[in-house]
Amino acid sequence: MTTTALPRERVVAARTAVFVVFALAGIAFATWASRIADAKAGLDLSAGQLGATLFAMSAGSMLAMPSTGRIAERYGVVSTIRVGMLIGIVGFGVVGAGVDLAESRLVVAAGLFLIGSGVGVWDVAMNLEGASVERLLGKTVMPQFHAAFSGGTVVSALIGSGMSWASVPLLPHLLGSALLVTVGGFVAMRAFLPREVEDAEHEKDKAAEAEARAEGAERADGTASAASPARSAWLEPRTLLIGLVVLVAAFTEGTANDWLAVAFVEGHDLPTWAGVLAFATFLSFMTIGRLLGTRWLDTYGRVPVLRATFVLAVLGSLLVIFGSDWMAFIGAAVWGVGVSLGFPVGLSASADDAKRAPARMSVVATIGYFAFIAGPPALGFLGDHVGVLRSLLAVGTMALLVQLILESVREPATAATTAEAEPARGRG
C-alpha cells in the first residue's frame, strides 16, 4: 500500500487516535507528578534526596529514547508504544509499593527508572506516528498533539489533587491510573496508520537523508554555509544555540513539574492538595498558551513571542517565590503561559530545512532533554541550602539569560517572500 492509496478519512481517524494517545501520555506523566509532594512527605526526604531520586526517572528516559526510533522502525510504532506502556505499569506499581509498603527510596528510584524508560519509549514512538500523520494530512498538527498532552496533564493533576486531599495511598492511585491509561491506549492504537504506511514513511525519510548526504558530498568548493548538509549538525552554531533555547525551556517547564507542588507546600505552608492544585493551575495555563500560541507566532513571529513569554516565566516565578498565597497561584498561571512555547518553537526551528530536520532535531532534543537530567538534582541541591521556594530563582535567571540567544530561532528569511514585501527593519 502506498501513502496515496490511503483514504483521507483513514488518516483523519489515525489523527484522532494520536490525539488520544498523547492525552493519555499526559495523564500518565502527571499521575506521578501530582503525588511527588506526598511521596516526599511519606519517605521523609530532603530536597536534595528528592532531587537525586527524581534523577532516576530522567536517566531512564535518556537511556531508552535514543534507540526507540530503530525499535519502532523494526517492530512498528504500535508494538513499541505497547511495550512502553507495559513497562510503565510495572514502574508505577513499584513506585507505589516503594512509598506505601517498603517505604524505601531505592525501590521508588527503581520504579521511577522504569517509568522513565517506558514513558520515554512511548513519547518518541507517538511523535513518530504524529509526524507521519502530519505529512499525510499535508498541514501542521503537531502543536495540537502536544496541547492534547498538556490537557491530559491538567486532568490528571486535578485528579491527583483530589486523591491527595482524600489521603488516598499512592499504590492504588498510580497503579489504577496506569492500568486505565494502558487499556485506553491499546484500544486507541487500533486506528493508527497501517504498518505498511509507516514503512513507506520511513523509506521517505531514508531517501531524504541519503539525498542530503549526496548533496553534501557534491559540495567541494568550500562555500557551504553552517547549514550545509555536508556538515555535522553538532558543529552548526545555530543548531547548538537552538538547543540551548530548548534546554532553558525544558528547565523552566521541568522545574515546575517536579518542584512547584513541593514549593507551595513547604514555602507557603499550604496543605499538599493545595500544592497539587497549584501544579494543575500551571498545567492548565501552559495548555492555554500552547493552544493560543500558534496564532501569536503567525502574527508576530517566533522571536518577539518567545521574548515576551520568557519574560512572563520570570514574572510568574517571582510571584510564586515572593508573593502571598493567592498571588503565588496567579504566578503559577503566568509561569505556565511563559513556558508554553519555548520547547515546541525550538523543535520547529530545528526543522526549518526539511532535508536536515532529522539530524538537527536529534541534536536539539538531546541538548534539551539534558535539562531533565541535570534539573532535579541541581534544584534539590539548591533547595537544601536556600529552601525549595527560593531555589526557583534559578528559573528566572535562566529565562532572562536566554534572551541573549533567541535570534537563533528566527524564521528563515525566505519565509517572508510569501507575504507582502516589507523592509527587514520592520521585524522586532
Side-chain angles (χ1 to χ4, degrees):
M1 179 185 295
T2 64
T3 56
T4 57
L6 196 66
R8 182 171 179 80
E9 56 268 22
R10 182 67 179 81
V11 181
V12 171
R15 180 190 63 183
T16 302
V18 174
F19 275 125
V20 172
V21 172
F22 266 81
L24 291 174
I27 290 173
F29 171 78
T31 294
W32 157 246
S34 68
R35 303 303 299 271
I36 289 176
D38 287 313
K40 181 178 185 297
L43 296 176
D44 193 25
L45 301 178
S46 68
Q49 289 172 329
L50 176 61
T53 305
L54 293 173
F55 172 83
M57 185 172 180
S58 301
S61 293
M62 289 297 291
L63 288 175
M65 293 174 78
S67 60
T68 300
R70 292 183 179 180
I71 295 173
E73 185 175 353
R74 180 170 183 177
Y75 299 104
V77 167
V78 172
S79 297
T80 303
I81 296 178
R82 285 175 176 170
V83 170
M85 288 180 167
L86 294 175
I87 294 173
I89 286 180
V90 176
F92 279 115
V94 172
V95 169
V99 175
D100 293 342
L101 303 179
E103 297 183 355
S104 167
R105 178 183 158 202
L106 291 178
V107 173
V108 171
L112 289 177
F113 182 87
L114 291 174
I115 293 175
S117 300
V119 173
V121 168
W122 178 356
D123 183 272
V124 172
M126 72 181 181
N127 274 282
L128 289 172
E129 179 75 5
S132 296
V133 169
E134 186 175 60
R135 284 194 290 267
L136 292 175
L137 287 174
K139 62 180 181 179
T140 301
V141 292
M142 189 66 79
Q144 298 172 9
F145 292 149
H146 285 271
F149 177 92
S150 298
T153 63
V154 174
V155 172
S156 187
L158 291 173
I159 294 173
S161 178
M163 293 288 185
S164 180
W165 173 79
S167 299
V168 175
L170 267 70
L171 181 57
H173 177 203
L174 299 186
L175 191 55
S177 176
L179 288 170
L180 290 175
V181 161
T182 300
V183 171
F186 273 51
V187 172
M189 284 186 291
R190 293 165 62 184
F192 270 22
L193 297 173
R195 177 67 190 277
E196 52 267 35
V197 174
E198 290 180 18
D199 292 339
E201 290 297 307
H202 290 317
E203 290 302 320
K204 280 187 177 181
D205 291 340
K206 288 181 179 179
E209 186 177 349
E211 181 183 350
R213 284 198 296 265
E215 181 181 341
E218 292 173 359
R219 293 194 178 188
D221 58 2
T223 60
S225 67
S228 169
R231 191 173 188 179
S232 168
W234 282 101
L235 299 177
E236 297 173 349
R238 178 177 182 261
T239 300
L240 296 177
L241 288 175
I242 294 172
L244 291 177
V245 172
V246 172
L247 183 145
V248 173
F251 179 79
T252 55
E253 179 183 341
T255 296
N257 290 337
D258 290 338
W259 295 102
L260 192 61
V262 175
F264 270 74
V265 172
E266 297 187 358
H268 290 280
D269 295 322
L270 295 175
T272 302
W273 67 266
V276 180
L277 186 60
F279 175 55
T281 301
F282 165 82
L283 293 174
S284 298
F285 279 83
M286 183 172 69
T287 304
I288 291 172
R290 286 177 171 169
L291 291 174
L292 298 178
T294 52
R295 178 172 297 180
W296 299 340
L297 292 165
D298 288 340
T299 303
Y300 303 107
R302 292 172 184 166
V303 176
V305 170
L306 286 194
R307 289 199 190 282
T309 52
F310 273 117
V311 168
L312 288 178
V314 175
L315 296 176
S317 63
L318 291 177
L319 285 174
V320 169
I321 297 167
F322 298 109
S324 61
D325 293 349
W326 67 269
M327 290 179 65
F329 273 90
I330 294 176
V334 175
W335 187 348
V337 175
V339 303
S340 61
L341 297 175
F343 201 95
V345 167
L347 293 181
S348 294
S350 71
D352 283 336
D353 180 356
K355 290 183 179 180
R356 293 289 286 159
R360 288 174 178 161
M361 189 175 291
S362 175
V363 170
V364 168
T366 299
I367 295 173
Y369 273 98
F370 178 76
F372 295 115
I373 287 282
L379 265 294
F381 175 80
L382 288 175
D384 278 344
H385 289 79
V386 300
V388 172
L389 194 61
R390 294 299 175 93
S391 72
L392 300 182
L393 285 169
V395 171
T397 302
M398 293 187 68
L400 284 176
L401 291 175
V402 79
Q403 299 282 341
L404 299 174
I405 59 173
L406 286 181
E407 282 294 328
S408 62
V409 304
R410 188 177 290 280
E411 299 87 341
T414 54
T417 61
T418 59
E420 295 181 7
E422 293 183 358
R425 63 178 179 274
R427 271 298 180 105

